[in-house]
Amino acid sequence: MRNAQQHALNALLIYLPCNHAVNVDTLDAWVGVQTLFQVTDSGIIEYPNAAAIKQWEGIMTCPSCGEPFKDIKRYSSAQQLKNLSKQLDELYVMFGQKLNPFMSRIYYLNKDIKGNRKDFVRRLVPGPLGGMTNKNLVRLRGIMTEDTESRILEFRDNVILPFEQSMSDLEKFVGHDGLVTLLRPDWSQHLLSGYDISTTQLVPPAALPQTLSPGAKSPGTPRSDSDEYEEGNYADTAMTREIQRQIKEQKLAERQNSSWVVPRKPRPFLQSAKPAPLLTSEEGDFETATLPFKARAESLYDRCRLIILEEGLYMVQELEKLQPRSKHTEIFLEELRALIINQSQKKVAELNTSIERCATQNLKRLEVELRLIQISIHSILSTLRAASGVDVQATASRMLELCQQYPDTAGIFQQSCLAVKQAASQRRHGIDLYNKEANEFWKLWAGHEVGCLRHCKYGHPYSGHVFKDCPECGREVEPKRKPQAEEDKTDYSQYLRENEFVAKMKQMRMGAPGKTPPK
């Protein structure tokens, strides 16, 4: 039976793009399928060998003419796994470019809604004839964020969730350890990161490893200056990418004296001129990639809900000022108040789940942001005299602890956390979710470039092009501990001289020596 299956496998032919036909057994041996995959006796590929694919060059050639080929279904999974980091890098670029406009849209939407409150108050109609008019005004104002919310949820459901599910299925296919191996950074990716670019000399083109592509010129053909770094003429390695980047920097330096060059403003998260240190195996190791994109999208949605809930509270307060109010307006006012309380309590419960997930995934910045949103909703419920179930003191202490322990990420909300701590007994808190540093985080993610993907020790992907450290957890500072006072073992009883003290007290009571005490 085994010989029959092997004979049937040898009879199968694979037609390559170069028009050569090779039987499966010969091409498997040429490509090295037995090394890259776990193959059954009948020739069926079961699962890949992640460690071998990681070390594989990723180039397959025809055994007859040597022309490279790809997109052969039998071997496509090995090529896709070899390029997994690059494919993820391109997806992260897209995620950053998609999520940043949502944040900008929410920021300006929040300003516009709060900026035209006077117009809303002016349009309110008191008296018995204003019930339907006021109801329509509130309804129109309550759906101002509906389009943005639907777009965020659509992006989450159609893009982010399928991607994260695909990553989960990939982990089942290659195994947990296999996925860790494929995503763990190579030392070669950081080969030149420990050198100062200003003092590093460019490697001459002749010293680069060459791989002749189908459209490239042969080594004997004269090359022009424009062809020196033509894409595809050299292997895509860390060295070639570094040299191309240095060439771009040299071209930019030549344009510094031009009046058309606009200087860039300094950014708090922007990577400094000093090169990043070389990653060691401990610093670059992580369990698996912890994907924060779903949590980020949901935090944007929570911001939209907070805007509407705060505006609903404002509309309730303005409707209560109307005098006289019709019966229709009073009924609508009670319904609006009950709706805000119900939606606020529901959102507080949902945020509890999101906060626990962020704490589990070590998303420190996002945890503080969600806690601030929860405190803001708590203040709405407190104003309406409704229960929220939020322990403000414990929440404020947790936020301040994270801000002090992670000053570069969670610390961007430290002023708001201090305001919550100082006004814990009040209904309103000085919370600013749209400070400069928080908005800058979303803008910088949109500037990510392919080839600069990094992972922190917790597995969070981030851009090494715009961030000097992980923007979700970042640099960790050990909390300062108060020195404990040593126990004083001195015996102070030897200094009391109790007998002399008692004699002195008797003498003062009986009077001076030689005098009779007063009667």
Side-chain angles (χ1 to χ4, degrees), residues 192 208-209 229 234-245:
L192 300 178
L208 293 178
Y229 291 94
Y234 295 98
D236 186 15
T237 63
M239 182 178 295
T240 56
R241 289 194 297 269
E242 178 64 26
I243 292 173
Q244 290 175 0
R245 188 181 67 83

Side-chain angles (χ1 to χ4, degrees), residues 33-270:
V33 170
Q34 296 291 341
T35 304
L36 300 178
F37 299 95
Q38 181 68 30
V39 185
T40 62
D41 295 338
S42 59
I44 299 176
I45 296 176
E46 290 185 335
Y47 54 87
N49 184 353
I53 292 177
K54 184 73 173 180
Q55 303 296 329
W56 180 45
E57 295 181 358
I59 301 176
M60 292 182 290
T61 59
C62 174
S64 300
C65 64
E67 182 176 347
F69 67 87
K70 59 181 180 179
D71 298 332
I72 301 298
K73 190 174 182 179
R74 183 172 176 82
Y75 316 115
S76 60
S77 59
Q79 292 178 318
Q80 292 174 359
L81 291 175
K82 178 64 179 179
N83 300 326
L84 178 62
S85 297
K86 183 177 180 181
Q87 294 174 3
L88 293 179
D89 205 345
E90 295 174 351
L91 283 173
Y92 295 158
V93 171
M94 184 267 291
F95 287 159
Q97 293 175 350
K98 290 290 185 180
L99 292 177
N100 177 46
F102 287 140
M103 181 60 186
S104 301
R105 190 170 184 174
I106 294 172
Y107 172 75
Y108 289 109
L109 188 62
N110 182 48
K111 291 184 64 176
D112 293 341
I113 290 178
K114 293 182 178 180
N116 57 16
R117 284 179 172 179
K118 292 183 179 180
D119 183 68
F120 167 76
V121 175
R122 184 177 58 83
R123 291 172 179 267
L124 291 176
V125 179
L129 301 179
M132 187 57 66
T133 302
N134 297 335
K135 185 176 182 179
N136 291 333
L137 284 174
V138 172
R139 181 183 293 111
L140 291 175
R141 200 166 182 82
I143 62 175
M144 294 183 69
T145 62
E146 183 177 359
D147 181 64
T148 303
E149 292 176 1
S150 62
R151 289 175 181 269
I152 293 174
L153 294 180
E154 181 181 4
F155 181 72
R156 182 199 66 177
D157 297 338
N158 297 335
V159 179
I160 295 179
L161 293 183
F163 166 71
E164 294 190 355
Q165 182 62 41
S166 299
M167 291 298 295
S168 177
D169 296 339
L170 178 63
E171 183 176 2
K172 296 178 182 178
F173 176 60
V174 302
H176 175 80
D177 296 337
L179 184 60
V180 171
T181 301
L182 292 172
L183 294 181
R184 183 181 289 117
D186 288 333
W187 183 83
S188 59
Q189 294 180 359
H190 309 278
L191 180 63
L192 300 178
S193 61
Y195 296 91
D196 189 355
I197 300 302
S198 60
T199 60
T200 304
Q201 297 181 354
L202 290 177
V203 180
L208 293 178
Q210 302 185 16
T211 57
L212 192 61
S213 62
K217 300 179 181 180
S218 61
T221 306
R223 301 174 57 86
S224 61
D225 294 338
S226 60
D227 294 333
E228 201 67 54
Y229 291 94
E230 183 179 355
E231 184 178 1
N233 292 346
Y234 295 98
D236 186 15
T237 63
M239 182 178 295
T240 56
R241 289 194 297 269
E242 178 64 26
I243 292 173
Q244 290 175 0
R245 188 181 67 83
Q246 293 180 32
I247 292 176
K248 291 181 180 179
E249 288 189 356
Q250 286 185 351
K251 291 181 179 180
L252 290 176
E254 295 173 357
R255 297 175 55 238
Q256 291 300 320
N257 297 328
S258 173
S259 59
W260 295 96
V261 178
V262 179
R264 297 179 64 182
K265 296 181 179 180
R267 297 175 177 178
F269 284 108
L270 195 61

Side-chain angles (χ1 to χ4, degrees), residues 474-510:
R475 177 173 57 94
E476 183 176 358
V477 178
E478 295 184 1
K480 297 181 179 180
R481 298 179 180 180
K482 296 181 179 180
Q484 298 180 355
E486 298 182 359
E487 183 181 357
D488 192 357
K489 300 181 180 180
T490 305
D491 183 13
Y492 290 96
S493 61
Q494 57 180 332
Y495 303 107
L496 293 178
R497 294 184 290 184
E498 295 181 0
N499 295 333
E500 297 181 8
F501 175 75
V502 172
K504 185 68 174 176
M505 292 298 295
K506 289 181 178 180
Q507 184 180 358
M508 292 178 62
R509 182 178 179 182
M510 299 299 297

Side-chain angles (χ1 to χ4, degrees), residues 346-376:
K346 182 179 178 181
K347 180 51 65 177
V348 167
E350 293 176 355
L351 285 171
N352 285 331
T353 305
S354 300
I355 290 171
E356 291 178 1
R357 183 171 65 248
C358 290
T360 304
Q361 297 179 350
N362 293 293
L363 302 173
K364 310 301 182 181
R365 182 199 61 81
L366 202 55
E367 179 183 349
V368 174
E369 179 180 337
L370 294 180
R371 287 184 181 275
L372 288 174
I373 295 176
Q374 190 179 55
I375 290 293
S376 300

Side-chain angles (χ1 to χ4, degrees), residues 397-410:
S397 300
R398 171 62 178 171
M399 291 190 298
L400 284 175
E401 178 184 351
L402 291 175
C403 290
Q404 295 171 1
Q405 193 171 358
Y406 301 91
D408 299 334
T409 53

